Amino acid sequence: MTDQAPIVIVGTGLSGYSLVREFRKLDKDTPIVMVTADDGVSYSKPMLSTGFTKDKDAEGLTQAGTDAMAEQLGVDVRTYTTVTGIDVNNHELVLGDQRLVYSKLVLAWGADVIRLGLAGDGLDRVHSINDLMDYRAFRKALEGGKRVVIMGAGLIGCEFANDLRNGGYEVDVIAPDSAVMPSLLPEAAARAVQHELTELGARFHLGTVVDRVDQGTSGVRVTLANGEILEADLVVSAVGLRPRTELAKASGIAVGKGIVVNRALETSAADVYALGDCAEVDGQVLLYVLPLMASARALAKTLTGERTNVRYGTMPIMVKTPCCPTAVCPPPPGTDGSWQVEQDGSDVKALFTSPAGDVLGFAVTGRFAVEKQALAKVVPPIHHD
Ligand SMILES: Cc1cc2nc3c(=O)[nH]c(=O)nc-3n(C[C@H](O)[C@H](O)[C@H](O)COP(=O)(O)OP(=O)(O)OC[C@H]3O[C@@H](n4cnc5c(N)ncnc54)[C@H](O)[C@@H]3O)c2cc1C
């Protein structure tokens, strides 16, 4: 009976829509239902941290409306519909008091922002930006404002710092680490990005955290653990993301850091698959576009009956800080080796080499950033077969 049921995909982010695009290249007819908690509008999430630089608001960043996507892809999209459970034994998705039978189920429901338990009465001015609806709310809240405090100096915090400076805003960045993007960049490259962002006018407060956010005379008063007080119009929280695993776990599907899948993107439950920010693929959680695109191509084939393993190639990450163009291809965690750094001011070329001299990762900034493609050809792929 479930064979006649549609393929159901939860999520209309880049993972969900990329998967359907790939699937429709192979199969025009099988019914597909997409379920999403949001408005289903198609957009490119990486562009959210380029709005001011590219002079685009939330409307400008919209690529296609939900109806257009549904028509173009031949799918039924159920918007503002939140999945509340999965009945894996009966092949049913639970949507509050309704149920939706699936033949195959794909979880593409992304990652949640980490929210810090801050004190204060100004928390309604703290914005996390993880989708287009968040971005719309953020831009509206920023109207008439000039000063933004960013919590977090990871990739997203640094990108927003650059973008907001390009938009003419005052920017203070607060983070507990001693360098920006500590989990991504070797120190020399991190210093270069921080230096250029500082030259652009961003102010960094590293080695401390935000303690509380209170209402101010206009906007908010942000108190740091080091005693500093900053006045701002609003706060952007960019302190990290966590794959959404709770509903999967509650339905008995194996989870680790993400929803555990093998290279065929199969979860521990029959006919249930996962890809994108929510998935832990063969032990790796990679919250980037290239891995989800590779996954979408492989899973599309599997869903048409040709079981296919995803193959991750070399996956460089471009950091969208135009004041200091940066690309990085981190070595696999725990790899034996060391960084070799060539530096001329903010132009850094750092190569991670094994004891045998093989290049296993790189980070390039400034004028060396143009070498990213050539270097990506030297670094071995994540998956060899
Ligand atoms: C500001 C920013 C900049 C970035 N820049 C880059 C970059 O330059 N390069 C790069 O490679 N990556 C970048 N990333 C990461 C990249 O954008 C993500 O890896 C990717 O967009 C994740 O897509 P996804 O479809 O897996 O998840 P999402 O886009 O989060 O989609 C999740 C979907 O699931 C739905 N959903 C969630 N829970 C439920 C539920 N219970 N019921 C129903 N629906 C649900 C949501 O409504 C949504 O439709 C950036 C991310 C951000 C935030």
Side-chain angles (χ1 to χ4, degrees):
M1 182 201 143
T2 54
D3 281 352
Q4 281 120 49
I7 294 175
V8 175
I9 299 171
V10 186
T12 54
L14 284 171
S15 298
Y17 278 141
S18 301
L19 172 63
V20 179
R21 261 192 212 100
E22 294 298 329
F23 183 84
R24 283 294 184 233
K25 289 180 193 166
L26 308 170
D27 177 328
K28 303 256 179 282
D29 304 319
T30 300
I32 296 178
V33 177
M34 300 186 79
V35 176
T36 178
D38 63 30
D39 58 10
V41 162
S42 166
Y43 70 103
S44 173
K45 191 183 287 199
M47 295 300 108
L48 296 182
S49 47
T50 67
F52 291 104
T53 308
K54 297 197 184 305
D55 196 18
K56 287 187 173 170
D57 59 9
E59 270 36 75
L61 292 172
T62 299
Q63 289 179 330
T66 315
D67 292 346
M69 289 305 287
E71 196 185 325
Q72 195 189 103
L73 298 170
V75 294
D76 172 14
V77 185
R78 304 206 184 160
T79 56
Y80 302 111
T81 304
T82 300
V83 174
T84 52
I86 308 163
D87 181 343
V88 294
N89 296 324
N90 290 314
H91 277 56
E92 286 177 350
L93 200 55
V94 185
L95 311 166
D97 54 8
Q98 291 182 13
R99 292 196 164 224
L100 178 62
V101 181
Y102 59 81
S103 56
K104 294 188 166 70
L105 174 66
V106 180
L107 306 176
W109 60 31
D112 245 334
V113 290
I114 294 172
R115 286 174 216 277
L116 302 179
L118 297 172
D121 63 6
L123 302 184
D124 59 334
R125 304 288 294 171
V126 179
H127 288 249
S128 299
I129 306 168
N130 189 34
D131 60 38
L132 191 64
M133 290 168 70
D134 291 341
Y135 191 70
R136 188 172 293 123
F138 157 72
R139 290 292 294 257
K140 192 165 183 341
L142 195 55
E143 274 168 21
K146 279 195 175 59
R147 305 154 302 169
V148 180
V149 162
I150 299 175
M151 296 197 295
L155 176 132
I156 292 173
C158 287
E159 290 189 355
F160 274 116
N162 198 147
D163 195 48
L164 283 158
R165 282 302 300 145
N166 287 356
Y169 294 87
E170 283 184 42
V171 174
D172 286 275
V173 182
I174 292 95
D177 314 282
S178 57
V180 303
M181 294 183 264
S183 56
L184 208 53
L185 294 182
E187 199 178 330
R191 293 275 166 233
V193 176
Q194 186 184 341
H195 176 78
E196 291 305 316
L197 282 169
T198 304
E199 287 289 296
L200 192 68
R203 294 181 289 257
F204 283 86
H205 311 258
L206 300 183
T208 190
V209 292
V210 172
D211 257 358
R212 49 187 305 128
V213 179
D214 292 291
Q215 286 178 17
T217 35
S218 71
V220 284
R221 271 175 85 235
V222 180
T223 309
L224 310 189
N226 67 6
E228 268 186 274
I229 292 180
L230 306 171
E231 301 283 338
D233 296 297
L234 59 78
V235 178
V236 170
S237 176
V239 297
L241 293 162
R242 195 181 286 129
R244 293 188 172 106
T245 56
E246 293 77 9
L247 288 176
K249 189 175 176 194
S251 60
I253 295 173
V255 303
K257 289 185 284 301
I259 299 169
V260 171
V261 293
N262 56 20
R263 286 190 44 202
L265 289 324
E266 295 159 336
T267 69
S268 62
D271 297 321
V272 183
Y273 305 81
L275 81 163
D277 277 8
C278 64
E280 179 180 326
V281 181
D282 196 24
Q284 302 213 47
V285 175
L286 297 174
L287 307 182
Y288 300 105
V289 174
L290 285 179
L292 75 81
M293 299 297 283
S295 298
R297 287 191 292 273
L299 185 52
K301 286 192 188 157
T302 297
L303 293 176
T304 58
E306 187 190 334
R307 188 174 181 276
T308 303
N309 278 348
V310 64
R311 182 182 173 280
Y312 286 170
T314 304
M315 294 191 162
I317 299 156
M318 315 303 162
V319 183
K320 298 186 292 302
T321 45
C323 72
C324 185
T326 299
V328 56
C329 191
T335 310
D336 196 12
S338 59
W339 287 99
Q340 318 294 322
V341 179
E342 182 186 339
Q343 181 164 15
D344 175 12
S346 293
D347 303 326
V348 174
K349 178 173 171 180
L351 302 181
F352 187 89
T353 51
S354 70
D358 297 321
V359 178
L360 301 178
F362 66 83
V364 280
T365 68
R367 73 180 157 88
F368 289 117
V370 292
E371 295 188 27
K372 60 182 184 265
Q373 263 142 349
L375 285 167
K377 291 194 179 126
V378 177
V379 172
I382 294 175
H383 296 140
H384 289 273
D385 54 303

Coordinates of all heavy atoms in Angstrom, one line a residue, residues 9-18 35-41 43-50 78 80-85 93-95 107-113 129-131 133 135 155-157 159-160 241 244 247 275-279 286-292 316-320, ligand 1:
I9 N 9.3 14.5 1.2 CA 10.6 15.2 1.5 C 10.3 16.3 2.5 O 9.4 17.1 2.3 CB 11.2 15.8 0.3 CG1 11.6 14.7 -0.8 CG2 12.5 16.6 0.6 CD1 12.0 15.3 -2.1
V10 N 10.9 16.2 3.7 CA 10.7 17.3 4.7 C 11.8 18.3 4.6 O 13.0 18.0 4.8 CB 10.7 16.7 6.1 CG1 10.3 17.8 7.1 CG2 9.8 15.5 6.2
G11 N 11.4 19.5 4.2 CA 12.4 20.6 4.1 C 12.4 21.1 2.6 O 12.5 20.4 1.7
T12 N 12.3 22.5 2.5 CA 12.4 23.1 1.2 C 13.6 24.1 1.1 O 13.6 25.1 0.5 CB 11.2 23.9 0.8 OG1 10.9 24.8 1.9 CG2 10.0 22.9 0.6
G13 N 14.7 23.7 1.9 CA 15.9 24.4 1.7 C 16.7 23.9 0.5 O 16.1 23.3 -0.4
L14 N 18.0 24.3 0.5 CA 18.8 23.8 -0.7 C 18.8 22.3 -0.8 O 18.8 21.8 -1.9 CB 20.2 24.4 -0.5 CG 20.4 25.9 -0.8 CD1 21.8 26.4 -0.4 CD2 20.1 26.2 -2.3
S15 N 18.8 21.6 0.3 CA 18.8 20.1 0.2 C 17.6 19.6 -0.4 O 17.6 18.8 -1.4 CB 19.0 19.5 1.6 OG 20.2 19.9 2.2
G16 N 16.4 20.0 0.1 CA 15.1 19.5 -0.4 C 15.0 19.8 -1.9 O 14.7 19.0 -2.7
Y17 N 15.1 21.1 -2.2 CA 14.9 21.5 -3.6 C 15.9 20.9 -4.6 O 15.6 20.6 -5.7 CB 14.8 23.0 -3.8 CG 13.4 23.6 -3.4 CD1 13.3 24.8 -2.7 CD2 12.2 23.0 -3.8 CE1 12.0 25.3 -2.4 CE2 11.0 23.5 -3.5 CZ 10.9 24.7 -2.8 OH 9.7 25.2 -2.5
S18 N 17.2 20.9 -4.1 CA 18.2 20.3 -5.0 C 17.9 18.8 -5.3 O 18.1 18.3 -6.4 CB 19.6 20.4 -4.4 OG 19.9 21.7 -4.1
V35 N 7.1 18.9 2.5 CA 6.5 19.4 3.7 C 7.5 20.4 4.3 O 8.7 20.0 4.5 CB 6.2 18.3 4.7 CG1 5.7 18.9 6.0 CG2 5.2 17.3 4.1
T36 N 7.1 21.6 4.6 CA 8.1 22.6 5.2 C 7.4 23.4 6.3 O 6.2 23.8 6.1 CB 8.7 23.5 4.1 OG1 9.6 24.4 4.8 CG2 7.7 24.3 3.3
A37 N 8.2 23.7 7.3 CA 7.7 24.5 8.4 C 7.6 26.0 8.0 O 6.9 26.8 8.6 CB 8.6 24.3 9.6
D38 N 8.4 26.3 6.9 CA 8.4 27.7 6.5 C 7.5 28.0 5.3 O 6.6 27.2 5.0 CB 9.9 28.2 6.3 CG 10.6 27.5 5.2 OD1 9.9 27.1 4.2 OD2 11.8 27.3 5.3
D39 N 7.8 29.1 4.6 CA 6.9 29.5 3.5 C 7.3 28.8 2.2 O 6.6 29.1 1.2 CB 7.0 31.1 3.3 CG 8.4 31.6 3.1 OD1 9.3 30.8 2.9 OD2 8.5 32.8 3.1
G40 N 8.3 28.0 2.2 CA 8.6 27.3 1.0 C 9.3 28.1 -0.2 O 9.6 27.5 -1.2
V41 N 9.6 29.3 0.1 CA 10.2 30.2 -0.9 C 11.6 29.6 -1.2 O 12.3 29.2 -0.3 CB 10.2 31.6 -0.4 CG1 11.2 32.5 -1.2 CG2 8.8 32.2 -0.5
Y43 N 15.5 30.1 -2.1 CA 16.5 31.1 -2.0 C 17.8 30.4 -1.7 O 17.8 29.2 -1.4 CB 16.2 32.1 -0.8 CG 16.4 31.4 0.6 CD1 17.5 31.7 1.4 CD2 15.4 30.5 1.0 CE1 17.6 31.0 2.6 CE2 15.6 29.9 2.2 CZ 16.7 30.1 3.0 OH 16.9 29.5 4.2
S44 N 18.9 31.1 -1.9 CA 20.2 30.5 -1.6 C 20.7 31.0 -0.3 O 21.1 32.2 -0.2 CB 21.2 30.9 -2.8 OG 22.5 30.5 -2.4
K45 N 20.7 30.1 0.7 CA 21.1 30.6 2.1 C 22.4 31.3 2.2 O 22.5 32.3 2.9 CB 21.0 29.4 3.0 CG 21.1 29.8 4.5 CD 21.1 28.7 5.4 CE 19.7 28.0 5.5 NZ 19.7 27.2 6.8
P46 N 23.5 30.8 1.4 CA 24.7 31.6 1.6 C 24.6 33.1 1.2 O 25.4 33.9 1.7 CB 25.7 30.8 0.6 CG 25.1 29.4 0.6 CD 23.6 29.6 0.7
M47 N 23.6 33.4 0.5 CA 23.5 34.8 0.1 C 23.0 35.7 1.2 O 23.0 36.9 1.1 CB 22.6 35.0 -1.2 CG 23.1 34.3 -2.4 SD 24.7 35.0 -2.9 CE 25.8 33.7 -2.5
L48 N 22.5 35.1 2.3 CA 21.9 35.9 3.4 C 23.0 36.8 4.0 O 22.7 37.9 4.5 CB 21.3 35.0 4.5 CG 20.1 34.1 4.1 CD1 19.6 33.4 5.3 CD2 19.0 35.0 3.5
S49 N 24.2 36.4 3.9 CA 25.3 37.2 4.5 C 25.9 38.2 3.5 O 27.1 38.6 3.7 CB 26.3 36.4 5.2 OG 26.7 35.3 4.4
T50 N 25.2 38.4 2.4 CA 25.8 39.3 1.3 C 24.7 40.4 1.0 O 24.9 41.1 0.0 CB 26.1 38.5 0.0 OG1 24.9 38.0 -0.6 CG2 27.1 37.4 0.3
R78 N 3.6 21.6 0.9 CA 2.8 21.9 2.0 C 3.6 22.9 2.9 O 4.5 22.4 3.6 CB 2.3 20.7 2.8 CG 1.6 19.7 1.8 CD 0.7 18.8 2.5 NE 0.2 17.9 1.5 CZ -0.4 16.8 1.8 NH1 -0.5 16.4 3.1 NH2 -0.8 16.0 0.9
Y80 N 4.2 26.0 5.9 CA 3.8 26.2 7.3 C 3.3 24.9 8.0 O 2.3 25.0 8.7 CB 2.8 27.3 7.4 CG 3.2 28.6 6.8 CD1 2.7 29.1 5.6 CD2 4.3 29.3 7.4 CE1 3.2 30.3 5.1 CE2 4.8 30.5 6.8 CZ 4.2 31.0 5.7 OH 4.6 32.2 5.1
T81 N 3.9 23.8 7.6 CA 3.4 22.5 8.1 C 4.6 21.9 8.9 O 5.6 21.6 8.3 CB 3.0 21.6 7.0 OG1 2.0 22.3 6.2 CG2 2.5 20.3 7.5
T82 N 4.5 21.8 10.2 CA 5.6 21.3 11.0 C 5.4 19.8 11.3 O 4.4 19.4 11.7 CB 5.7 22.1 12.3 OG1 5.9 23.5 12.0 CG2 6.8 21.6 13.2
V83 N 6.5 19.0 11.0 CA 6.5 17.6 11.3 C 6.7 17.5 12.8 O 7.5 18.1 13.4 CB 7.6 16.9 10.6 CG1 7.7 15.5 11.0 CG2 7.4 17.0 9.1
T84 N 5.9 16.7 13.4 CA 6.0 16.5 14.9 C 6.4 15.1 15.2 O 6.7 14.8 16.4 CB 4.6 16.8 15.6 OG1 3.6 16.0 14.9 CG2 4.3 18.3 15.5
G85 N 6.5 14.2 14.3 CA 6.9 12.8 14.6 C 7.0 12.0 13.3 O 6.5 12.4 12.2
L93 N 4.2 10.0 8.4 CA 4.8 11.2 8.9 C 3.7 11.8 9.8 O 2.5 11.9 9.4 CB 5.1 12.2 7.8 CG 6.1 13.3 8.0 CD1 7.5 12.8 8.5 CD2 6.3 14.0 6.7
V94 N 4.1 12.3 11.0 CA 3.1 12.8 11.9 C 3.1 14.4 11.8 O 4.2 14.9 12.0 CB 3.3 12.4 13.3 CG1 2.1 12.9 14.2 CG2 3.4 10.8 13.4
L95 N 2.0 15.0 11.4 CA 1.9 16.4 11.3 C 0.8 16.9 12.3 O -0.3 17.0 11.9 CB 1.5 16.8 9.9 CG 2.3 16.2 8.7 CD1 1.6 16.4 7.4 CD2 3.7 16.7 8.7
L107 N 14.6 13.2 5.0 CA 14.7 14.2 6.0 C 15.7 15.2 5.5 O 16.9 14.9 5.4 CB 15.1 13.6 7.3 CG 14.1 12.5 7.8 CD1 14.6 11.9 9.1 CD2 12.7 13.0 8.0
A108 N 15.3 16.4 5.2 CA 16.2 17.5 4.7 C 15.8 18.7 5.5 O 15.6 19.8 5.0 CB 16.0 17.7 3.2
W109 N 15.7 18.5 6.8 CA 15.2 19.6 7.7 C 16.2 20.4 8.4 O 15.9 21.2 9.3 CB 14.1 19.0 8.6 CG 14.5 18.0 9.6 CD1 15.8 17.8 10.2 CD2 13.7 16.9 10.2 NE1 15.8 16.8 11.0 CE2 14.5 16.2 11.0 CE3 12.4 16.6 10.0 CZ2 14.0 15.1 11.8 CZ3 11.9 15.5 10.7 CH2 12.7 14.8 11.6
G110 N 17.5 20.3 8.0 CA 18.5 21.3 8.3 C 19.0 21.3 9.8 O 18.8 20.2 10.5
A111 N 19.5 22.4 10.2 CA 20.1 22.5 11.5 C 19.5 23.7 12.2 O 19.0 24.7 11.6 CB 21.6 22.7 11.4
D112 N 19.4 23.6 13.5 CA 18.9 24.7 14.3 C 20.0 25.6 14.8 O 21.1 25.1 15.1 CB 18.2 24.1 15.6 CG 16.8 24.2 15.6 OD1 16.3 25.2 15.0 OD2 16.1 23.4 16.3
V113 N 19.7 26.9 15.0 CA 20.7 27.8 15.6 C 20.8 27.4 17.1 O 19.8 27.1 17.7 CB 20.3 29.2 15.4 CG1 20.4 29.6 14.0 CG2 18.9 29.6 15.9
I129 N 20.0 34.4 12.3 CA 19.7 34.5 10.9 C 20.0 33.1 10.2 O 21.2 32.9 9.8 CB 20.4 35.6 10.2 CG1 20.1 36.9 10.9 CG2 19.9 35.7 8.7 CD1 20.9 38.1 10.5
N130 N 19.0 32.3 10.1 CA 19.3 30.9 9.5 C 18.3 30.6 8.4 O 18.4 29.5 7.9 CB 19.2 29.9 10.6 CG 19.7 28.5 10.2 OD1 20.6 28.4 9.3 ND2 19.1 27.5 10.7
D131 N 17.5 31.5 8.0 CA 16.7 31.3 6.8 C 16.1 32.7 6.4 O 16.3 33.7 7.0 CB 15.5 30.3 7.0 CG 14.6 30.7 8.1 OD1 14.3 31.9 8.2 OD2 14.1 29.8 8.9
M133 N 13.2 33.9 6.2 CA 12.2 34.5 7.0 C 12.9 35.3 8.2 O 12.5 36.4 8.6 CB 11.2 33.5 7.5 CG 10.3 33.0 6.4 SD 9.3 31.6 6.8 CE 8.1 32.2 8.0
Y135 N 15.8 36.5 7.9 CA 16.5 37.6 7.4 C 15.6 38.8 7.2 O 15.9 39.9 7.4 CB 17.2 37.2 6.0 CG 18.1 38.3 5.5 CD1 19.3 38.5 6.1 CD2 17.8 39.1 4.4 CE1 20.2 39.5 5.7 CE2 18.6 40.0 3.9 CZ 19.8 40.3 4.6 OH 20.7 41.3 4.1
L155 N 32.5 31.7 10.8 CA 32.3 32.1 9.4 C 31.2 33.0 9.2 O 31.3 34.1 8.6 CB 32.2 30.8 8.5 CG 31.9 31.0 7.0 CD1 32.8 30.1 6.2 CD2 30.4 30.6 6.7
I156 N 30.0 32.7 9.8 CA 28.8 33.5 9.6 C 29.0 34.8 10.3 O 28.6 35.9 9.7 CB 27.6 32.7 10.1 CG1 27.4 31.5 9.1 CG2 26.3 33.5 10.1 CD1 26.3 30.5 9.5
G157 N 29.5 34.8 11.5 CA 29.7 36.1 12.2 C 30.6 37.0 11.4 O 30.3 38.2 11.3
E159 N 31.3 36.9 8.2 CA 30.6 37.4 6.9 C 29.6 38.5 7.2 O 29.6 39.5 6.5 CB 29.9 36.2 6.3 CG 30.9 35.2 5.7 CD 30.3 34.1 4.8 OE1 29.1 34.0 4.7 OE2 31.1 33.3 4.3
F160 N 28.8 38.3 8.3 CA 27.9 39.4 8.6 C 28.6 40.7 9.0 O 28.1 41.8 8.7 CB 26.9 39.0 9.7 CG 25.7 38.3 9.1 CD1 25.5 36.9 9.4 CD2 24.8 38.9 8.2 CE1 24.4 36.2 8.9 CE2 23.7 38.2 7.7 CZ 23.5 36.9 8.0
L241 N 25.4 26.2 14.9 CA 24.3 25.5 14.5 C 24.4 24.0 15.0 O 25.5 23.5 15.1 CB 24.2 25.4 12.9 CG 23.9 26.8 12.2 CD1 24.3 26.7 10.7 CD2 22.5 27.1 12.3
R244 N 19.3 19.1 13.3 CA 18.0 18.8 14.0 C 17.9 17.3 14.1 O 17.8 16.6 13.0 CB 16.8 19.3 13.2 CG 16.8 20.8 13.2 CD 15.5 21.4 12.5 NE 15.4 22.8 12.7 CZ 15.6 23.7 11.8 NH1 15.9 23.3 10.5 NH2 15.5 25.0 12.0
L247 N 13.5 14.8 16.6 CA 12.3 14.0 16.1 C 12.8 12.7 15.6 O 12.0 11.7 15.7 CB 11.6 14.8 15.0 CG 10.8 16.1 15.4 CD1 10.3 16.7 14.2 CD2 9.7 15.7 16.4
L275 N 19.7 14.0 4.3 CA 20.9 14.7 3.6 C 20.9 16.2 4.1 O 19.9 16.7 4.7 CB 20.8 14.7 2.1 CG 19.9 15.7 1.4 CD1 20.2 15.7 -0.1 CD2 18.4 15.3 1.5
G276 N 22.0 16.8 3.8 CA 22.1 18.3 4.2 C 22.5 18.5 5.6 O 23.1 17.6 6.2
D277 N 22.1 19.7 6.1 CA 22.6 20.1 7.4 C 22.2 19.2 8.6 O 22.8 19.2 9.6 CB 22.1 21.5 7.7 CG 23.0 22.6 7.1 OD1 23.9 22.2 6.3 OD2 22.8 23.8 7.4
C278 N 21.1 18.4 8.4 CA 20.7 17.5 9.5 C 21.4 16.2 9.5 O 21.3 15.4 10.5 CB 19.2 17.3 9.4 SG 18.6 16.4 7.9
A279 N 22.2 15.9 8.5 CA 22.7 14.5 8.3 C 24.1 14.3 8.8 O 24.9 15.3 8.6 CB 22.6 14.1 6.9
L286 N 28.8 18.0 7.7 CA 29.4 19.2 7.0 C 28.3 20.1 6.6 O 27.4 19.8 5.8 CB 30.1 18.6 5.7 CG 31.3 17.7 6.0 CD1 31.8 17.1 4.7 CD2 32.4 18.4 6.7
L287 N 28.2 21.3 7.3 CA 27.1 22.2 7.1 C 27.4 23.2 5.9 O 27.5 24.4 6.1 CB 26.8 22.9 8.4 CG 26.6 22.1 9.6 CD1 26.3 23.0 10.8 CD2 25.5 21.1 9.4
Y288 N 27.6 22.6 4.7 CA 27.9 23.4 3.6 C 27.2 22.9 2.3 O 26.6 21.8 2.3 CB 29.4 23.3 3.3 CG 30.3 23.8 4.4 CD1 30.9 22.9 5.2 CD2 30.3 25.2 4.7 CE1 31.7 23.4 6.3 CE2 31.1 25.6 5.8 CZ 31.7 24.7 6.6 OH 32.4 25.2 7.7
V289 N 27.2 23.7 1.3 CA 26.5 23.5 0.1 C 27.0 22.3 -0.8 O 26.3 21.5 -1.2 CB 26.3 24.7 -0.8 CG1 25.6 24.5 -2.1 CG2 25.5 25.8 0.0
L290 N 28.3 22.3 -0.9 CA 28.9 21.3 -1.8 C 28.5 19.8 -1.4 O 28.1 19.0 -2.2 CB 30.4 21.4 -2.0 CG 30.9 22.6 -2.8 CD1 32.4 22.6 -2.9 CD2 30.4 22.4 -4.3
P291 N 28.6 19.5 -0.1 CA 28.3 18.2 0.3 C 26.8 17.9 0.1 O 26.4 16.7 -0.3 CB 28.5 18.1 1.9 CG 29.5 19.3 2.1 CD 29.2 20.3 1.0
L292 N 25.9 18.8 0.3 CA 24.5 18.5 0.1 C 24.2 18.4 -1.4 O 23.3 17.6 -1.8 CB 23.6 19.6 0.8 CG 23.4 21.0 0.2 CD1 22.4 21.1 -0.9 CD2 23.0 21.9 1.3
P316 N 36.5 22.8 -0.9 CA 36.9 24.1 -0.3 C 35.8 25.0 0.1 O 34.7 24.9 -0.5 CB 37.7 24.7 -1.5 CG 37.2 24.0 -2.7 CD 36.7 22.7 -2.3
I317 N 36.0 25.7 1.1 CA 34.9 26.7 1.6 C 35.4 28.1 1.3 O 36.5 28.4 1.7 CB 34.7 26.5 3.1 CG1 34.3 25.0 3.4 CG2 33.8 27.5 3.7 CD1 34.6 24.5 4.8
M318 N 34.6 28.8 0.6 CA 34.9 30.3 0.4 C 34.3 31.1 1.5 O 33.1 30.9 1.8 CB 34.3 30.8 -0.9 CG 34.4 29.8 -2.1 SD 36.1 29.4 -2.5 CE 35.9 28.0 -3.5
V319 N 35.1 31.9 2.1 CA 34.6 32.8 3.2 C 34.2 34.1 2.5 O 35.1 34.7 1.9 CB 35.6 33.0 4.3 CG1 35.0 33.8 5.4 CG2 36.1 31.6 4.8
K320 N 33.0 34.5 2.7 CA 32.5 35.7 1.9 C 32.8 37.0 2.7 O 32.0 37.7 3.2 CB 31.0 35.6 1.6 CG 30.7 34.4 0.7 CD 29.3 34.3 0.3 CE 28.3 34.0 1.4 NZ 28.5 32.8 2.1
Ligands
LIG1 C1 24.4 33.2 6.6 C2 24.9 31.8 6.1 C3 25.9 31.8 5.1 C4 26.3 30.6 4.6 N1 27.3 30.6 3.6 C5 27.7 29.5 3.1 C6 28.7 29.4 2.0 O1 29.2 30.5 1.6 N2 29.0 28.2 1.5 C7 28.4 27.1 1.9 O2 28.8 26.0 1.4 N3 27.5 27.0 2.9 C8 27.1 28.2 3.5 N4 26.2 28.2 4.5 C9 25.6 26.9 4.8 C10 24.5 26.5 3.8 O3 23.7 27.5 3.5 C11 23.7 25.3 4.4 O4 24.6 24.2 4.5 C12 22.5 24.9 3.6 O5 21.8 26.0 3.1 C13 21.6 23.9 4.3 O6 20.5 23.6 3.6 P1 19.4 22.5 4.1 O7 18.4 22.4 3.0 O8 20.1 21.2 4.5 O9 18.8 23.1 5.4 P2 17.8 24.4 5.6 O10 18.1 25.4 4.5 O11 18.0 24.8 7.0 O12 16.4 23.9 5.3 C14 15.6 23.2 6.3 C15 14.2 23.1 5.9 O13 13.5 22.1 6.8 C16 12.3 22.8 7.2 N5 12.0 22.2 8.6 C17 12.8 22.2 9.7 N6 12.2 21.5 10.7 C18 11.0 21.1 10.2 C19 9.9 20.4 10.7 N7 9.9 19.9 12.0 N8 8.8 20.2 10.0 C20 8.8 20.6 8.7 N9 9.8 21.3 8.1 C21 10.9 21.5 8.9 C22 12.7 24.2 7.2 O14 11.5 25.0 7.3 C23 13.4 24.4 5.9 O15 12.5 24.4 4.8 C24 25.8 29.4 5.0 C25 24.8 29.4 6.0 C26 24.3 30.6 6.6 C27 23.3 30.6 7.6

